[in-house]
Amino acid sequence: MRSFNFFGRLCTAFHDYPSLSKIIVVSTLSSGSLIAYSEPNTNNGNRGRVAHADAVASKKKKVVVLGTGWAAMTFLKNLNNSIYEVEVVSPRNFFLFTPLLPSVTCGKVEARSIVEPIRNIIRKKNIDVSYREAECTKIDPANNKIYCRATANTNSKRQEEFAIDYDYLIIAVGAQVNTFNTPGVEGNCHFLKEIDDAQKIRRNVIDAFEKASLPNLTEEERKKILHFVVVGGGPTGVEFAAELHDFVNEDVVKLYPMVQNFVKITVLEATDHILNMFDKRITKFAEHKFGRDNIEVKLGSMVTKVTENEICTKAKGSDKTTSMPYGMVLWSTGIGPRPIVKDFMKQVGQGNRRALATDEWLRVEGVGNVYALGDCATINQRKVMEDITEIFKKADADNSGTLTLKEFQDISNDICERYPQMQLYLKSKPVRNIFDRPSQVKGKASKESIELSIEEFKSALSEVDTQLKNLPATAQVANQQGAYLAKCFNRMEECEIKPEGPTRIRGTGRHRFRPFRYRHLGQFAPLGGEQTAAQLPGDWVSIGHSSQWLWYSIYARYQVASRPTFLLPYSA
């Protein structure tokens, strides 16, 4: 009994002095070892910690992320500042490795290998993150709210609708296929943007071969059923055509030997070449390879209408329309904004644009706390000639009204960082050459002593903005934008006090962050037969089997989640 009295008094001590709760007492009794412990008094010890946690929570900034694609998930993966409370809203509850979608259509890669549930990703984060499976139906920037509609199936007669407040909104909803309002496309063509699209195409390809194998069909009917048309000669269309060709030559010959000779693959491209965003050497090789593989490529061919059984085209420079029967059509001609983005663009005065315009820091123009990245947005890079007078004044340190070489050199780094086209321009025309003007006064000793007037300075830089180029709508761009924006958010408070960006050309001080800069790491085009064309920085082009493994290794490297990275080599 004395031992129980001892433990009773010990528990009383733990109750009165919560700090003793961390002490573990081990006592050896006749029956063995006994461990005694006590919880701290919640009315005393926890009070301070709970109050502190509530205070921290009340100070957290609410970040709402729309989308679960490349840009959104890379942002989430790299965000590690606990001052934010993050809420992800998307009707798709998984991340999709889109570059390998064409490989899913013919079974080369399994669908499970290129998806990762969002909840698997966010549960590994050490910051406050939640996910809502819903579709954003409206953005209200005036009140910092978004309105959503649940997409999950419920027993309710109406879909659940709710609103979410935000301090920062990140729009990364991607884009949808652009049909250019071509009649019949929506109802008769396949698209390739989501995993459901790839699986549907896969089922239809198999169904086509099964149907063509039936005994009661004529040769013409079999040819129609097995005519696969790809509209668009970009990377997605070319890769699908190559994957389908491999499927026919590697699997169909074994599974459907009676119908393999009826298969026809046609690629329709409105411009003069397929893969026209690639180096000409790759374009030429791809066209020749498709010719050898009996994949018909019709260049300068514009689709005017798609019916249930025929696709109508018009040759470039001709008004004559021709039609041909088909079994399946894949439409892959470009992208356009989603309805939610279109509506928001109208609200912020960008209704006549093809994508949501942002500044170089990925902020939506005209809305300070809304960011947009990925395929739904485009960076509206500031032009040098719009700010040329302010640049001149900023560089003219002695306010003499003229500009010397040294004065321009002193600020050239900030100008190149603020205006990337200036950096590209100076690669072909060094700073010193800008001061090599016909109006130089004879007898001056060197360019260091030359002084340019504002008009001469404008004339010297008149062609600088021709270096401006829009970024491509690729996973690579979205990935880099997500990582950049996460870095900005991680350092938001620090850079507010100590800005790290370039000098403000209009105004005083420095920009808080350095502008986003895209670093092109190369592009790949799988051409079938385990051959891939790779175009890497430095004008390096590689075509062949080695590029195939380089392609897979880089794709595996840039997987957002670990599970698809592990499964990818085993499914390829």
Side-chain angles (χ1 to χ4, degrees):
M1 290 295 294
R2 283 180 295 178
S3 61
F4 285 105
N5 289 336
F6 165 75
F7 286 116
R9 289 194 297 270
L10 185 62
C11 291
T12 302
F14 280 132
H15 185 276
D16 294 337
Y17 302 97
S19 60
L20 293 177
S21 62
K22 295 183 180 179
I23 300 176
I24 299 177
V25 180
V26 181
S27 175
T28 303
L29 303 177
S30 59
S31 59
S33 297
L34 179 65
I35 299 178
Y37 68 94
S38 172
E39 293 289 342
N41 190 330
T42 56
N43 292 327
N44 294 315
N46 268 357
R47 185 177 300 164
R49 285 192 292 274
V50 171
H52 175 71
D54 290 342
V56 171
S58 65
K59 294 179 182 178
K60 284 189 176 183
K61 296 291 186 180
K62 179 72 169 292
V63 179
V64 174
V65 180
L66 298 182
T68 51
W70 276 94
M73 289 301 98
T74 306
F75 169 81
L76 186 62
K77 178 183 176 182
N78 289 275
L79 186 68
N80 55 31
N81 195 329
S82 60
I83 69 169
Y84 301 111
E85 175 192 352
V86 183
E87 193 159 351
V88 181
V89 178
S90 173
R92 190 178 74 187
N93 65 357
F94 55 87
F95 166 75
L96 172 64
F97 192 83
T98 50
L100 286 176
L101 269 179
S103 297
V104 176
T105 60
C106 295
K108 188 174 184 180
V109 172
E110 287 297 328
R112 65 188 177 91
S113 301
I114 63 171
V115 298
E116 178 74 4
I118 294 304
R119 297 189 183 279
N120 278 357
I121 298 174
I122 64 176
R123 70 183 176 85
K124 301 173 184 177
K125 298 294 295 182
N126 58 359
I127 59 175
D128 188 3
V129 185
S130 59
Y131 167 71
R132 306 285 180 260
E133 186 176 310
E135 181 180 4
C136 179
T137 57
K138 183 179 180 181
I139 300 171
D140 183 3
N143 297 303
N144 289 348
K145 287 179 180 290
I146 63 167
Y147 295 90
C148 307
R149 181 175 60 245
T151 55
N153 292 328
T154 64
N155 294 326
S156 176
K157 292 183 179 180
R158 65 180 184 85
Q159 290 180 304
E160 185 180 355
E161 296 183 355
F162 54 93
I164 300 176
D165 296 318
Y166 64 82
D167 293 302
Y168 298 103
L169 177 64
I170 298 174
I171 304 174
V173 296
Q176 63 183 11
V177 176
N178 191 349
T179 65
F180 300 99
N181 296 319
T182 306
V185 171
E186 289 284 353
N188 299 304
C189 296
H190 289 271
F191 304 129
L192 192 51
K193 291 289 290 181
E194 301 291 342
I195 195 68
D196 289 343
D197 297 334
Q199 292 175 321
K200 184 178 179 181
I201 290 172
R202 185 172 178 175
R203 289 193 298 269
N204 276 266
V205 168
I206 297 300
D207 287 347
F209 283 101
E210 292 291 354
K211 186 176 180 180
S213 300
L214 295 175
N216 59 338
L217 298 177
T218 66
E219 286 192 1
E220 289 302 317
E221 289 174 327
R222 288 190 173 92
K223 288 180 179 179
K224 174 184 177 299
I225 293 170
L226 296 178
H227 184 197
F228 301 94
V229 180
V230 179
V231 182
T236 300
V238 166
E239 185 176 351
F240 171 74
E243 294 285 2
L244 183 59
H245 173 267
D246 286 353
F247 175 70
V248 170
N249 285 271
E250 295 172 8
D251 296 320
V252 170
V253 291
K254 302 173 184 176
L255 302 175
Y256 308 94
M258 300 297 294
V259 298
Q260 60 173 310
N261 294 328
F262 297 106
V263 179
K264 182 179 179 181
I265 304 172
T266 302
V267 178
L268 303 177
E269 170 56 39
T271 64
D272 296 331
H273 296 283
I274 61 173
L275 298 178
N276 52 26
M277 70 292 296
F278 282 75
D279 185 277
K280 291 181 180 179
R281 289 169 288 181
I282 292 178
T283 297
K284 184 177 180 180
F285 177 84
E287 291 175 352
H288 285 174
K289 185 179 186 304
F290 274 18
R292 294 194 303 270
D293 292 342
N294 293 320
I295 298 175
E296 185 177 11
V297 178
K298 292 188 175 182
L299 302 174
S301 185
M302 183 179 297
V303 176
T304 59
K305 184 173 65 172
V306 182
T307 67
E308 186 177 356
N309 298 304
E310 292 184 328
I311 183 168
C312 303
T313 62
K314 183 172 63 175
K316 187 177 181 180
S318 172
D319 293 329
K320 184 180 179 181
T321 300
T322 59
S323 62
M324 56 182 172
Y326 71 87
M328 190 187 83
V329 177
L330 173 69
W331 187 273
S332 179
T333 60
I335 58 175
R338 295 187 183 276
I340 180 63
V341 175
K342 289 181 181 179
D343 180 69
F344 183 61
M345 288 166 64
K346 292 178 181 178
Q347 292 187 60
V348 297
Q350 298 184 20
N352 59 343
R353 301 186 64 93
R354 294 183 179 180
L356 196 54
T358 72
D359 62 16
E360 299 88 337
W361 293 268
L362 309 185
R363 295 174 302 195
V364 174
E365 291 185 341
V367 191
N369 64 339
V370 179
Y371 297 79
L373 52 163
D375 292 356
C376 69
T378 183
I379 296 176
N380 191 16
Q381 175 62 51
R382 186 81 177 176
K383 294 182 179 179
V384 169
M385 296 310 293
E386 292 176 345
D387 296 334
I388 192 69
T389 302
E390 298 300 325
I391 293 173
F392 185 89
K393 291 178 181 178
K394 188 71 70 171
D396 184 15
D398 59 3
N399 296 319
S400 63
T402 58
L403 199 61
T404 66
L405 175 61
K406 184 179 184 307
E407 285 177 327
F408 184 73
Q409 286 176 328
D410 288 343
I411 197 175
S412 62
N413 287 339
D414 281 323
I415 295 175
C416 288
E417 190 169 19
R418 179 67 180 82
Y419 307 92
Q421 65 268 40
M422 177 68 83
Q423 186 174 16
L424 293 174
Y425 184 71
L426 293 181
K427 285 182 178 180
S428 59
K429 188 171 186 178
V431 175
R432 286 177 172 269
N433 291 353
I434 292 177
F435 286 76
D436 186 13
R437 308 299 300 152
S439 58
Q440 293 175 12
V441 179
K442 293 182 179 180
K444 289 192 175 183
S446 65
K447 292 180 182 179
E448 280 76 4
S449 60
I450 299 296
E451 297 182 4
L452 296 183
S453 66
I454 179 65
E455 294 304 322
E456 289 175 321
F457 187 62
K458 288 180 179 179
S459 177
L461 299 178
S462 60
E463 297 180 358
V464 66
D465 290 322
T466 60
Q467 303 292 325
L468 278 174
K469 294 181 180 179
N470 290 328
L471 297 179
T474 63
Q476 186 179 164
V477 172
N479 179 74
Q480 293 185 29
Q481 288 179 336
Y484 164 83
L485 191 60
K487 182 179 179 180
C488 292
F489 271 68
N490 288 336
R491 295 169 52 81
M492 189 81 74
E493 293 178 321
E494 179 182 344
C495 292
E496 187 72 42
I497 300 171
K498 190 178 179 180
E500 62 182 18
T503 298
R504 292 182 182 273
I505 299 301
R506 293 178 178 270
T508 59
R510 308 185 74 85
H511 288 280
R512 184 166 45 179
F513 305 110
R514 292 185 175 89
F516 170 74
R517 288 291 174 268
Y518 170 62
R519 181 187 175 193
H520 186 60
L521 302 177
Q523 52 189 352
F524 300 85
L527 302 175
E530 295 188 357
Q531 288 194 325
T532 297
Q535 181 178 337
L536 301 178
D539 196 34
W540 181 48
V541 170
S542 174
I543 302 172
H545 297 277
S546 60
S547 298
Q548 176 84 354
W549 289 108
L550 176 64
W551 170 61
Y552 274 116
S553 64
I554 290 180
Y555 274 3
R557 164 68 177 82
Y558 281 94
Q559 284 274 20
V560 169
S562 57
R563 189 176 71 89
T565 304
F566 176 77
L567 291 175
L568 179 58
Y570 299 96
S571 60

